[in-house]
Amino acid sequence: MCYSLEASITAGLGLGLAGYGMVAKALRHDRRMLLFAAFPLVFSAHQFVEAAVWLTRNDPVAGQPFRYLYTLIAFAMWPVLTPAAAAYAESDPERNRLWWTMGGVGFILAAYLIAKLAGADGIDLSVYRHSLAYDPLFERPPLATDFLYLLLTVAPLILSERRAIKIFGVAVFLTFVMALAANRPAWYSVWCLAAAVFSFVIAFAIEEERSSDYDELEMQR
């Protein structure tokens, strides 16, 4: 998260409240959207972890567990959760199988990145343009790993059958490009913030389904 400890805590609280509301809404109106609705809760937890990183940034020993946890969530959560959420929400059987297959690939990728992280000699931390830059001390994975990570976390969103999820996916992809171009050392901290902000769009996907169900009932009458 950019800027400060206070900003991270504020973002964590806002995302937590929004996530609670979205999960409750999905439980009432469209349980297939439940995993997508939980995205803000994951982002909320991520921001609270980064608040702890801010708090301990001048104490590498005390801060290492929080740095590892923040990086672990970024590395391992999204390439598995995003395809799984898309599969859970998908009504088309063929696309459903595609998303579950991508989720399996994401699980393998996450396991690989966790193993790399477990073998790291720590995580260096610096502040770059008011953002935290995490530098895991391990041999960098092949560039293809980055492209696969991006594919797994963006494609299920952009190719979703729901308009609001598509919009969220396009926003996530564009902010990835912008974060990488404008703030390269701290790009995934900046990208996580941007994705967290845009996750509010998911609420409209639940509304879409609710409206669609209502329209269908009206036509049956």
Side-chain angles (χ1 to χ4, degrees):
M1 172 70 184
C2 303
Y3 310 124
S4 67
L5 166 66
E6 294 78 12
S8 291
I9 293 174
T10 300
L13 288 171
L15 287 161
L17 290 172
Y20 174 80
M22 288 165 63
V23 167
K25 186 177 181 181
L27 286 171
R28 288 195 307 269
H29 302 298
D30 185 7
R31 289 177 180 267
R32 290 187 304 163
M33 282 295 295
L34 193 56
L35 291 182
F36 274 128
F39 275 27
L41 293 178
V42 179
F43 283 122
S44 173
H46 212 193
Q47 295 310 313
F48 281 124
V49 172
E50 191 152 46
V53 175
W54 275 109
L55 189 63
T56 59
R57 70 185 185 278
N58 295 321
D59 186 347
V61 175
Q64 281 298 318
F66 301 112
R67 299 177 193 183
Y68 269 98
L69 181 56
Y70 182 89
T71 307
L72 180 65
I73 294 172
F75 280 9
M77 177 69 73
W78 298 112
V80 177
L81 182 58
T82 305
Y88 198 67
E90 184 62 61
S91 60
D92 180 74
E94 291 187 5
R95 286 155 65 94
N96 182 275
R97 284 193 293 271
L98 173 61
W99 302 141
W100 281 123
T101 300
M102 291 184 71
V105 174
F107 182 83
I108 295 171
L109 176 63
Y112 167 73
L113 293 174
I114 289 171
K116 293 287 291 183
L117 196 58
D121 295 325
I123 299 177
D124 278 348
L125 186 76
S126 59
V127 179
Y128 181 80
R129 295 183 181 176
H130 308 291
S131 303
L132 292 177
Y134 299 80
D135 183 19
L137 301 177
F138 54 52
E139 183 180 352
R140 290 293 178 264
L143 186 60
T145 303
D146 296 332
F147 285 109
L148 180 59
Y149 181 97
L150 181 63
L151 177 68
L152 293 170
T153 54
V154 172
L157 304 176
I158 292 179
L159 299 178
S160 171
E161 60 184 353
R162 306 192 186 212
R163 184 173 55 217
I165 300 298
K166 286 179 182 287
I167 294 171
F168 175 52
V170 171
V172 168
F173 176 72
L174 292 177
T175 51
F176 164 79
V177 174
M178 293 173 60
L180 199 59
N183 207 334
R184 189 175 181 84
W187 74 268
Y188 66 84
S189 179
V190 174
W191 189 33
C192 285
L193 165 64
V197 170
F198 284 115
S199 69
F200 289 100
V201 176
I202 294 172
F204 294 100
I206 303 171
E207 278 294 336
E208 277 182 5
E209 186 66 16
R210 182 183 178 187
S211 299
S212 176
D213 290 345
Y214 178 79
D215 293 342
E216 186 176 340
L217 287 172
E218 287 296 307
M219 289 177 65
Q220 289 175 356
R221 291 177 185 175

